[in-house]
Amino acid sequence: MLTIQTPEAVMFWFLAPLSVVAALGMLLVKKAVHSALLLAWVMITLAIFYIAQDALFLGIVQIVVYTGAVMMLFLFILMLVGVDASDSLTETIPGLRPIAITAALGFGGLLVSLIGRAKLGHDAYGLTAANSEGNVQGLAQLLFSTYVWPFEVVSSLLITAALGAMVLAHHQRAVPRATQREQAIARFRGASLGSAAGLPNPGVFARHNAVDVPALLPDGSAAPNSISATLKARGDMLDSAQFELGEVDNTVTEEK
C-alpha cells in the first residue's frame, strides 16, 4: 500500500487550499490581469503536484506549455485590451448563468464519481512499476497503444473547437471599408479644407492646422502669401490674430 510521506502531505495541505482559492478567484475577479495571474498560480501549483507524484513529464509540460506558452498568449491579449479593462457581468443571453452552474455541478459530480470508483476499495500503488523503463517511455506506451483512440478523439475535438471559435469570432462588415482614394475625396470635399491636412508631426509646436491659417513671420505677424487665393475666395481662411505670438503670450499670462 502506498504511504504518503510527511513532506508531501505538508506540501499538499499547504498548496491545495491556495490553489482552490486561486481558482475561485480566477472566476470571480473582474479584471483580466488579475485572472491571468491567478491562472498562472494554479498552473504552477498543478506542475508541483505532478512532479511530487513522480509524473516528471507532465510537470515539465505543465510549466513549459501551459504556464509558458498559454500565459504568453494571455499576455498579448492583455496588451491589446489594456490592463485596466474589466469584463461586464451583464448577461447577454438570458438564462445562461443557471445553465452554466448546472453544467459545472454535473461535470464536477461526474469527476467525483469516476475518481471514487477508481480509488474506493482499491489499494493505491505508486508509479514505480509504471516508471520502470522511464516516465516518458511509460506514458508513451499507454498513450499510443491502449489510449490512442481517445487521444485522437480529444485532439479532433480541440481542433474543431478552435476552428469553431474562429468562425464565430469572424463577422462580415455591414458597410464596405472605404478605400484611400475615397477617404481623400471625402476630406477635400468637406465643408472646409481645414480638415484636409493631417495633424502636426509629434514634437512640432502648432496651435492650429496650417492649411487655412496664415503662417506667422518671425515678428509674430501673419504672412498673407502663405494662404492660397482659392481659400480666400471660398471663405475658408481663418483669422490668425488669435494664434499670433503676442496673443499667445497674453493667453499664457492670463492662465498663470
Side-chain angles (χ1 to χ4, degrees):
M1 184 175 180
L2 179 65
T3 58
I4 300 176
Q5 301 296 328
T6 302
E8 183 179 351
V10 173
M11 180 198 68
F12 175 80
W13 290 111
F14 176 74
L15 292 180
L18 295 179
S19 180
V20 173
V21 172
L24 293 177
M26 181 186 65
L27 299 176
L28 299 177
V29 296
K30 295 182 179 180
K31 292 186 178 296
V33 62
H34 296 162
S35 179
L37 293 176
L38 293 173
L39 179 60
W41 171 257
V42 173
M43 290 182 176
I44 294 175
T45 306
L46 289 177
I48 297 174
F49 289 156
Y50 289 150
I51 295 175
Q53 295 295 321
D54 294 334
L56 301 178
F57 180 79
L58 289 180
I60 299 302
V61 169
Q62 180 73 22
I63 295 177
V64 174
V65 177
Y66 289 97
T67 311
V70 176
M71 290 309 301
M72 287 299 102
L73 178 61
F74 282 125
L75 176 61
F76 287 127
I77 295 176
L78 291 177
M79 291 171 61
L80 292 176
V81 302
V83 177
D84 296 332
S86 58
D87 296 331
S88 175
L89 300 180
T90 304
E91 293 187 24
T92 57
I93 303 178
L96 182 60
R97 183 172 299 179
I99 295 175
I101 294 176
T102 304
L105 293 177
F107 184 71
L110 179 62
L111 288 179
V112 171
S113 63
L114 291 177
I115 296 175
R117 287 190 57 185
K119 299 295 292 182
L120 295 179
H122 301 278
D123 293 334
Y125 297 95
L127 296 177
T128 304
N131 293 336
S132 59
E133 298 180 359
N135 181 257
V136 178
Q137 289 80 356
L139 182 63
Q141 177 65 29
L142 292 176
L143 192 61
F144 295 104
S145 60
T146 307
Y147 300 101
V148 62
W149 174 246
F151 176 76
E152 295 297 334
V153 171
V154 171
S155 63
S156 301
L157 290 177
L158 292 176
I159 295 175
T160 305
L163 293 177
M166 290 188 294
V167 171
L168 293 177
H170 177 74
H171 66 280
Q172 298 291 338
R173 293 181 59 90
V175 179
R177 184 187 298 272
T179 62
Q180 186 176 4
R181 179 180 177 85
E182 292 174 347
Q183 294 177 4
I185 293 175
R187 287 199 303 267
F188 282 93
R189 290 183 178 178
S192 174
L193 288 180
S195 60
L199 296 176
N201 294 328
V204 177
F205 177 76
R207 294 182 60 84
H208 194 274
N209 201 329
V211 172
D212 55 351
V213 177
L216 300 180
L217 296 174
D219 59 353
S221 60
N225 295 331
S226 61
I227 292 294
S228 174
T230 304
L231 293 178
K232 297 179 181 179
R234 291 182 55 178
D236 290 327
M237 186 181 68
L238 298 181
D239 186 11
S240 63
Q242 55 180 329
F243 304 106
E244 295 181 1
L245 295 182
E247 184 66 24
V248 171
D249 294 338
N250 295 334
T251 304
V252 172
T253 303
E254 292 177 358
E255 292 177 355
K256 290 182 178 180

